[in-house]
Amino acid sequence: SKDLGKNNFHFFTEKLNDEIQEKIHLQRLMSSALEEGHFHLYYQPKVDIKSNKIVGCEALIRLIDPIHGLIPPDKFIYLAEENNFIIPLGEWIIEEATRQLKSWENTPLQDLRLAINISGVQFKDKQLIPTLQDAIGKIDKNKLEIELTESVLMTDFDDKLDIIKKFKDLGLRLSLDDFGTGYSSLSYLKKIPFDTLKIDKSFIDDLQNKKDQSFVNMIVTIADELELDVVAEGVENKEQLEYLKRMKCEQYQGYYCSKPLPAKEFEALFLDHTCH
Ligand code: C2E
Ligand code: CA
Ligand code: CA
Ligand code: CA
Protein backbone atom coordinates (compact mmCIF):
# COMPACT_ATOMS: atom_id res chain seq x y z
CA SER A 1 0.00 0.00 0.00
CA LYS A 2 0.88 3.65 -0.21
CA ASP A 3 1.45 3.80 3.54
CA LEU A 4 3.87 0.90 3.53
CA GLY A 5 5.84 2.51 0.74
CA LYS A 6 6.07 5.66 2.75
CA ASN A 7 7.22 3.75 5.80
CA ASN A 8 9.84 1.95 3.79
CA PHE A 9 11.06 5.22 2.47
CA HIS A 10 11.11 6.64 5.95
CA PHE A 11 13.04 3.60 7.15
CA PHE A 12 15.43 3.94 4.25
CA THR A 13 16.18 7.61 4.93
CA GLU A 14 16.63 6.92 8.63
CA LYS A 15 19.10 4.17 7.86
CA LEU A 16 20.92 6.36 5.35
CA ASN A 17 20.91 9.14 7.89
CA ASP A 18 22.45 6.81 10.49
CA GLU A 19 25.19 5.87 8.09
CA ILE A 20 25.91 9.51 7.29
CA GLN A 21 25.93 10.36 10.99
CA GLU A 22 28.31 7.52 11.67
CA LYS A 23 30.63 8.65 8.89
CA ILE A 24 30.62 12.21 10.18
CA HIS A 25 31.31 10.93 13.67
CA LEU A 26 34.19 8.76 12.50
CA GLN A 27 35.56 11.59 10.37
CA ARG A 28 35.66 13.94 13.38
CA LEU A 29 37.11 11.17 15.52
CA MET A 30 39.93 10.63 13.01
CA SER A 31 40.96 14.26 12.73
CA SER A 32 41.06 14.79 16.47
CA ALA A 33 42.82 11.43 16.90
CA LEU A 34 45.63 12.61 14.62
CA GLU A 35 46.00 15.85 16.58
CA GLU A 36 45.83 14.14 19.95
CA GLY A 37 48.10 11.21 19.17
CA HIS A 38 45.53 8.40 19.24
CA PHE A 39 46.85 6.68 16.14
CA HIS A 40 49.50 4.03 16.73
CA LEU A 41 51.59 1.79 14.55
CA TYR A 42 51.64 -1.86 15.59
CA TYR A 43 54.40 -4.14 14.29
CA GLN A 44 54.02 -7.69 13.02
CA PRO A 45 57.18 -9.78 12.64
CA LYS A 46 58.38 -11.16 9.32
CA VAL A 47 60.19 -14.39 10.07
CA ASP A 48 62.93 -16.15 8.10
CA ILE A 49 61.58 -19.70 7.70
CA LYS A 50 64.96 -21.50 7.70
CA SER A 51 66.39 -19.83 10.79
CA ASN A 52 63.14 -18.86 12.57
CA LYS A 53 64.66 -15.43 13.12
CA ILE A 54 62.68 -12.21 12.95
CA VAL A 55 64.16 -10.31 10.00
CA GLY A 56 61.66 -7.52 9.57
CA CYS A 57 58.21 -6.25 10.35
CA GLU A 58 55.12 -4.66 8.85
CA ALA A 59 53.67 -1.54 10.43
CA LEU A 60 49.87 -1.74 10.74
CA ILE A 61 47.85 1.20 11.94
CA ARG A 62 45.47 1.22 14.91
CA LEU A 63 43.24 3.96 16.29
CA ILE A 64 43.01 3.77 20.05
CA ASP A 65 40.14 6.00 21.07
CA PRO A 66 39.79 6.89 24.77
CA ILE A 67 36.05 6.08 24.63
CA HIS A 68 35.65 3.43 21.91
CA GLY A 69 38.91 1.57 22.54
CA LEU A 70 40.92 -0.09 19.76
CA ILE A 71 39.55 0.51 16.25
CA PRO A 72 41.13 -1.67 13.52
CA PRO A 73 42.06 -0.23 10.08
CA ASP A 74 39.23 -2.07 8.28
CA LYS A 75 36.86 0.25 10.13
CA PHE A 76 38.41 3.56 9.04
CA ILE A 77 40.92 3.26 6.16
CA TYR A 78 38.14 3.13 3.53
CA LEU A 79 36.68 6.36 4.88
CA ALA A 80 40.10 8.00 5.15
CA GLU A 81 40.59 7.10 1.47
CA GLU A 82 37.15 8.42 0.53
CA ASN A 83 37.71 11.86 2.07
CA ASN A 84 41.48 12.12 1.48
CA PHE A 85 42.24 12.04 5.20
CA ILE A 86 44.63 9.22 4.28
CA ILE A 87 46.95 11.93 2.91
CA PRO A 88 47.81 13.62 6.25
CA LEU A 89 47.45 10.25 8.00
CA GLY A 90 49.80 8.65 5.47
CA GLU A 91 52.37 11.36 6.10
CA TRP A 92 52.13 10.66 9.81
CA ILE A 93 52.61 6.92 9.13
CA ILE A 94 55.78 7.58 7.11
CA GLU A 95 57.17 9.87 9.81
CA GLU A 96 56.27 7.53 12.67
CA ALA A 97 57.76 4.49 10.91
CA THR A 98 60.95 6.46 10.32
CA ARG A 99 61.11 7.51 13.98
CA GLN A 100 60.79 3.84 14.90
CA LEU A 101 63.60 2.76 12.57
CA LYS A 102 65.74 5.60 13.90
CA SER A 103 65.13 4.49 17.49
CA TRP A 104 66.32 0.98 16.62
CA GLU A 105 69.69 2.22 15.35
CA ASN A 106 72.59 0.95 17.50
CA THR A 107 70.31 -1.58 19.23
CA PRO A 108 69.90 -5.33 18.57
CA LEU A 109 66.98 -4.39 16.29
CA GLN A 110 69.14 -2.32 13.95
CA ASP A 111 69.10 -4.78 11.04
CA LEU A 112 65.33 -5.07 10.84
CA ARG A 113 63.48 -3.92 7.77
CA LEU A 114 60.22 -2.11 8.30
CA ALA A 115 57.38 -2.10 5.76
CA ILE A 116 54.57 0.42 5.55
CA ASN A 117 51.37 0.21 3.52
CA ILE A 118 50.69 2.96 1.00
CA SER A 119 47.20 3.55 -0.27
CA GLY A 120 46.43 4.47 -3.89
CA VAL A 121 44.96 7.80 -2.79
CA GLN A 122 48.35 8.85 -1.41
CA PHE A 123 49.69 8.90 -4.97
CA LYS A 124 47.63 12.10 -5.44
CA ASP A 125 49.66 13.77 -2.69
CA LYS A 126 52.25 16.10 -4.23
CA GLN A 127 54.13 15.88 -0.93
CA LEU A 128 54.45 12.06 -1.03
CA ILE A 129 57.89 11.94 -2.64
CA PRO A 130 59.29 14.91 -0.65
CA THR A 131 57.93 13.35 2.58
CA LEU A 132 59.60 10.02 1.78
CA GLN A 133 62.82 11.74 0.76
CA ASP A 134 62.85 13.67 4.01
CA ALA A 135 62.13 10.54 6.02
CA ILE A 136 64.84 8.37 4.53
CA GLY A 137 67.37 11.18 4.82
CA LYS A 138 67.33 10.31 8.50
CA ILE A 139 67.77 6.52 8.23
CA ASP A 140 69.42 3.69 6.32
CA LYS A 141 67.17 3.91 3.27
CA ASN A 142 66.97 0.28 2.27
CA LYS A 143 65.50 -0.49 5.71
CA LEU A 144 62.20 1.08 4.68
CA GLU A 145 59.91 -0.93 2.45
CA ILE A 146 56.66 0.06 0.76
CA GLU A 147 53.82 -2.42 0.36
CA LEU A 148 51.44 -1.83 -2.53
CA THR A 149 48.45 -3.96 -3.43
CA GLU A 150 47.53 -4.80 -7.00
CA SER A 151 44.31 -2.85 -6.61
CA VAL A 152 46.37 0.32 -6.21
CA LEU A 153 47.73 -0.27 -9.71
CA MET A 154 44.36 -0.80 -11.40
CA THR A 155 43.75 2.89 -12.17
CA ASP A 156 46.04 5.56 -13.67
CA PHE A 157 48.75 2.99 -14.16
CA ASP A 158 51.21 5.18 -16.07
CA ASP A 159 51.06 8.05 -13.58
CA LYS A 160 51.50 5.63 -10.71
CA LEU A 161 54.38 3.87 -12.42
CA ASP A 162 56.22 7.21 -12.67
CA ILE A 163 55.85 7.70 -8.92
CA ILE A 164 56.82 4.10 -8.15
CA LYS A 165 60.02 4.60 -10.14
CA LYS A 166 60.74 7.58 -7.89
CA PHE A 167 60.34 5.31 -4.83
CA LYS A 168 63.03 3.10 -6.32
CA ASP A 169 65.25 6.07 -7.19
CA LEU A 170 65.09 7.05 -3.53
CA GLY A 171 66.39 3.57 -2.67
CA LEU A 172 63.21 2.26 -1.06
CA ARG A 173 62.29 -1.40 -1.28
CA LEU A 174 59.02 -2.31 -2.93
CA SER A 175 56.70 -5.15 -2.09
CA LEU A 176 53.65 -6.45 -3.99
CA ASP A 177 51.01 -7.13 -1.35
CA ASP A 178 48.14 -9.65 -1.53
CA PHE A 179 49.80 -11.24 -4.57
CA GLY A 180 47.53 -13.44 -6.62
CA THR A 181 44.26 -11.77 -5.72
CA GLY A 182 44.26 -9.10 -8.44
CA TYR A 183 43.70 -9.30 -12.18
CA SER A 184 46.96 -8.94 -14.04
CA SER A 185 49.65 -9.74 -11.53
CA LEU A 186 52.09 -11.01 -14.11
CA SER A 187 52.06 -7.87 -16.22
CA TYR A 188 52.63 -5.80 -13.07
CA LEU A 189 55.62 -7.96 -12.29
CA LYS A 190 56.98 -7.29 -15.74
CA LYS A 191 56.55 -3.52 -15.57
CA ILE A 192 57.31 -2.69 -11.94
CA PRO A 193 60.64 -3.20 -10.16
CA PHE A 194 59.35 -5.04 -7.10
CA ASP A 195 61.75 -6.56 -4.57
CA THR A 196 59.27 -8.80 -2.76
CA LEU A 197 56.09 -10.77 -3.38
CA LYS A 198 53.65 -11.32 -0.53
CA ILE A 199 51.49 -14.38 -1.04
CA ASP A 200 47.95 -13.54 0.01
CA LYS A 201 46.54 -15.23 3.10
CA SER A 202 43.73 -16.78 1.05
CA PHE A 203 46.31 -19.16 -0.52
CA ILE A 204 47.74 -20.05 2.88
CA ASP A 205 44.44 -20.74 4.67
CA ASP A 206 43.96 -24.22 3.13
CA LEU A 207 47.47 -25.41 2.44
CA GLN A 208 46.51 -29.06 2.99
CA ASN A 209 44.56 -28.57 -0.25
CA LYS A 210 46.56 -29.77 -3.30
CA LYS A 211 45.35 -26.93 -5.48
CA ASP A 212 46.43 -24.27 -3.01
CA GLN A 213 49.78 -26.00 -2.66
CA SER A 214 50.21 -25.73 -6.43
CA PHE A 215 49.44 -22.02 -6.39
CA VAL A 216 51.90 -21.36 -3.60
CA ASN A 217 54.52 -23.49 -5.36
CA MET A 218 53.97 -21.49 -8.54
CA ILE A 219 54.32 -18.17 -6.76
CA VAL A 220 57.51 -19.28 -4.99
CA THR A 221 58.89 -20.43 -8.37
CA ILE A 222 58.01 -17.12 -10.04
CA ALA A 223 59.69 -15.22 -7.21
CA ASP A 224 62.75 -17.43 -7.51
CA GLU A 225 62.94 -16.99 -11.30
CA LEU A 226 62.63 -13.22 -10.99
CA GLU A 227 65.01 -13.12 -8.02
CA LEU A 228 62.41 -11.59 -5.73
CA ASP A 229 61.97 -12.28 -2.03
CA VAL A 230 58.79 -14.11 -1.13
CA VAL A 231 56.73 -13.79 2.04
CA ALA A 232 53.68 -15.88 2.97
CA GLU A 233 50.95 -13.93 4.81
CA GLY A 234 48.55 -15.15 7.45
CA VAL A 235 50.40 -18.25 8.68
CA GLU A 236 48.53 -19.49 11.73
CA ASN A 237 49.84 -22.98 12.45
CA LYS A 238 52.76 -25.37 12.33
CA GLU A 239 51.33 -27.43 9.45
CA GLN A 240 51.16 -24.39 7.18
CA LEU A 241 54.71 -23.48 8.12
CA GLU A 242 55.91 -27.04 7.36
CA TYR A 243 54.39 -26.89 3.87
CA LEU A 244 56.00 -23.50 3.27
CA LYS A 245 59.36 -24.80 4.41
CA ARG A 246 59.14 -27.72 1.99
CA MET A 247 58.19 -25.32 -0.81
CA LYS A 248 61.26 -23.23 -0.01
CA CYS A 249 59.25 -20.14 0.76
CA GLU A 250 61.69 -17.75 2.46
CA GLN A 251 59.68 -15.77 4.97
CA TYR A 252 56.35 -15.76 6.72
CA GLN A 253 54.14 -13.43 8.64
CA GLY A 254 51.21 -14.52 10.76
CA TYR A 255 49.66 -15.22 14.13
CA TYR A 256 51.75 -18.42 14.42
CA CYS A 257 54.63 -16.13 15.30
CA SER A 258 52.69 -13.13 16.55
CA LYS A 259 49.87 -10.68 16.02
CA PRO A 260 50.83 -7.08 15.28
CA LEU A 261 52.17 -5.63 18.55
CA PRO A 262 52.81 -2.19 20.04
CA ALA A 263 56.48 -1.18 19.56
CA LYS A 264 57.58 -2.05 23.11
CA GLU A 265 56.04 -5.54 22.96
CA PHE A 266 57.46 -6.14 19.50
CA GLU A 267 60.91 -5.21 20.80
CA ALA A 268 60.49 -7.59 23.74
CA LEU A 269 59.42 -10.41 21.39
CA PHE A 270 62.45 -9.80 19.19
CA LEU A 271 64.80 -9.88 22.18
CA ASP A 272 63.14 -13.05 23.50
CA HIS A 273 63.62 -15.00 20.23
CA THR A 274 60.31 -16.70 20.90
CA CYS A 275 59.17 -17.31 17.31
CA HIS A 276 59.30 -21.12 17.49
P1 C2E B 1 47.30 -6.07 4.84
O1 C2E B 1 48.29 -5.05 4.43
O2 C2E B 1 47.10 -7.24 3.94
O3 C2E B 1 47.74 -6.52 6.30
C1 C2E B 1 47.64 -7.84 6.78
C2 C2E B 1 46.47 -8.00 7.70
O4 C2E B 1 46.35 -9.37 8.07
C3 C2E B 1 46.59 -7.23 9.02
O5 C2E B 1 45.28 -6.81 9.43
C4 C2E B 1 47.12 -8.31 9.97
O6 C2E B 1 46.86 -8.04 11.32
C5 C2E B 1 46.35 -9.50 9.47
N1 C2E B 1 47.02 -10.76 9.80
C6 C2E B 1 48.34 -11.00 9.87
N2 C2E B 1 48.59 -12.28 10.18
C7 C2E B 1 47.38 -12.88 10.31
C8 C2E B 1 46.97 -14.23 10.62
O7 C2E B 1 47.78 -15.13 10.85
N3 C2E B 1 45.63 -14.46 10.65
C9 C2E B 1 44.72 -13.48 10.40
N4 C2E B 1 43.42 -13.80 10.45
N5 C2E B 1 45.08 -12.20 10.09
C10 C2E B 1 46.39 -11.92 10.04
P2 C2E B 1 44.99 -5.34 9.93
O8 C2E B 1 46.12 -4.82 10.74
O9 C2E B 1 43.63 -5.34 10.52
O10 C2E B 1 45.00 -4.52 8.57
C11 C2E B 1 44.03 -4.73 7.56
C12 C2E B 1 44.34 -3.96 6.33
O11 C2E B 1 44.25 -2.55 6.57
C13 C2E B 1 45.76 -4.17 5.80
O12 C2E B 1 45.83 -5.39 5.08
C14 C2E B 1 45.94 -2.95 4.96
O13 C2E B 1 45.31 -3.11 3.71
C15 C2E B 1 45.18 -1.90 5.75
N6 C2E B 1 46.15 -1.15 6.58
C16 C2E B 1 46.64 -1.43 7.81
N7 C2E B 1 47.52 -0.51 8.21
C17 C2E B 1 47.60 0.39 7.20
C18 C2E B 1 48.35 1.59 7.01
O14 C2E B 1 49.19 2.00 7.84
N8 C2E B 1 48.15 2.28 5.83
C19 C2E B 1 47.29 1.82 4.87
N9 C2E B 1 47.14 2.55 3.74
N10 C2E B 1 46.57 0.71 5.02
C20 C2E B 1 46.73 -0.01 6.17
CA1 CA C 1 50.39 -5.07 3.79
CA1 CA D 1 48.68 -8.21 2.70
CA1 CA E 1 45.78 -9.73 2.62
Side-chain angles (χ1 to χ4, degrees):
S1 75
K2 203 178 158 198
D3 271 357
L4 197 67
K6 211 170 159 187
N7 278 335
N8 274 339
F9 180 70
H10 186 66
F11 176 75
F12 178 70
T13 49
E14 285 238 301
K15 187 161 177 278
L16 195 65
N17 203 31
D18 282 354
E19 278 170 22
I20 292 167
Q21 290 300 331
E22 200 183 304
K23 269 193 181 179
I24 292 169
H25 176 68
L26 192 53
Q27 217 154 297
R28 290 213 184 102
L29 195 84
M30 286 194 296
S31 1
S32 65
L34 189 55
E35 281 165 25
E36 288 161 28
H38 297 157
F39 282 105
H40 300 267
L41 292 183
Y42 276 30
Y43 301 90
Q44 187 178 38
K46 291 186 181 173
V47 184
D48 178 79
I49 293 180
K50 257 191 222 154
S51 66
N52 274 325
K53 287 209 170 95
I54 298 175
V55 291
C57 61
E58 176 177 6
L60 294 152
I61 197 159
R62 303 288 182 261
L63 201 178
I64 304 179
D65 182 71
I67 297 163
H68 301 90
L70 191 145
I71 308 175
D74 289 343
K75 291 274 188 315
F76 62 84
I77 290 284
Y78 79 96
L79 183 61
E81 289 177 336
E82 215 172 276
N83 63 21
N84 289 334
F85 182 71
I86 194 74
I87 291 178
L89 184 61
E91 286 178 5
W92 178 83
I93 292 167
I94 293 166
E95 285 156 10
E96 179 64 16
T98 313
R99 272 195 290 276
Q100 195 57 253
L101 275 173
K102 185 89 201 151
S103 82
W104 288 339
E105 280 178 4
N106 305 313
T107 77
L109 292 93
Q110 66 185 354
D111 293 328
L112 294 181
R113 283 209 176 107
L114 192 163
I116 55 174
N117 293 281
I118 292 215
S119 146
V121 180
Q122 289 176 263
F123 282 76
K124 288 195 285 192
D125 178 13
K126 292 275 169 292
Q127 281 306 110
L128 179 61
I129 296 297
T131 303
L132 284 168
Q133 188 158 21
D134 228 51
I136 60 174
K138 298 168 186 150
I139 52 162
D140 179 357
K141 60 191 176 187
N142 65 21
K143 292 278 176 342
L144 189 65
E145 182 156 314
I146 289 178
E147 295 194 3
L148 295 176
T149 60
E150 292 175 22
S151 60
V152 166
L153 306 167
M154 276 180 12
T155 55
D156 307 319
F157 183 82
D158 293 330
D159 296 337
K160 283 180 178 150
L161 183 58
D162 286 343
I163 296 172
I164 290 170
K165 284 182 176 153
K166 290 190 181 133
F167 296 162
K168 292 302 300 180
D169 291 343
L170 288 175
L172 297 166
R173 291 177 56 90
L174 204 59
S175 184
L176 182 51
D177 204 354
D178 301 345
F179 184 73
T181 58
Y183 290 104
S184 43
S185 329
L186 292 178
S187 81
Y188 293 141
L189 284 186
K190 188 173 154 189
K191 290 175 186 153
I192 300 178
F194 286 106
D195 300 286
T196 306
L197 291 185
K198 294 189 75 177
I199 309 173
D200 192 66
K201 179 176 183 301
S202 58
F203 296 103
I204 308 301
D205 285 340
D206 303 304
L207 261 189
Q208 73 288 353
N209 182 324
K210 277 261 177 291
K211 211 166 174 177
D212 286 317
Q213 287 172 26
S214 305
F215 280 118
V216 172
N217 246 323
M218 271 191 314
I219 299 174
V220 171
T221 306
I222 291 170
D224 190 44
E225 286 284 328
L226 298 175
E227 296 179 2
L228 305 177
D229 290 345
V230 60
V231 183
E233 289 192 319
V235 175
E236 294 181 341
N237 57 55
K238 195 176 167 59
E239 290 68 41
Q240 291 169 326
L241 188 58
E242 287 307 318
Y243 279 119
L244 291 166
K245 195 178 271 174
R246 259 178 269 152
M247 293 172 185
K248 307 248 182 313
C249 179
E250 290 163 344
Q251 293 177 26
Y252 84 94
Q253 215 181 316
Y255 294 174
Y256 186 58
C257 172
S258 170
K259 289 190 176 185
L261 299 170
K264 287 279 158 289
E265 289 174 40
F266 173 78
E267 289 162 8
L269 176 76
F270 178 88
L271 296 171
D272 265 3
H273 302 285
T274 49
C275 268
H276 309 278

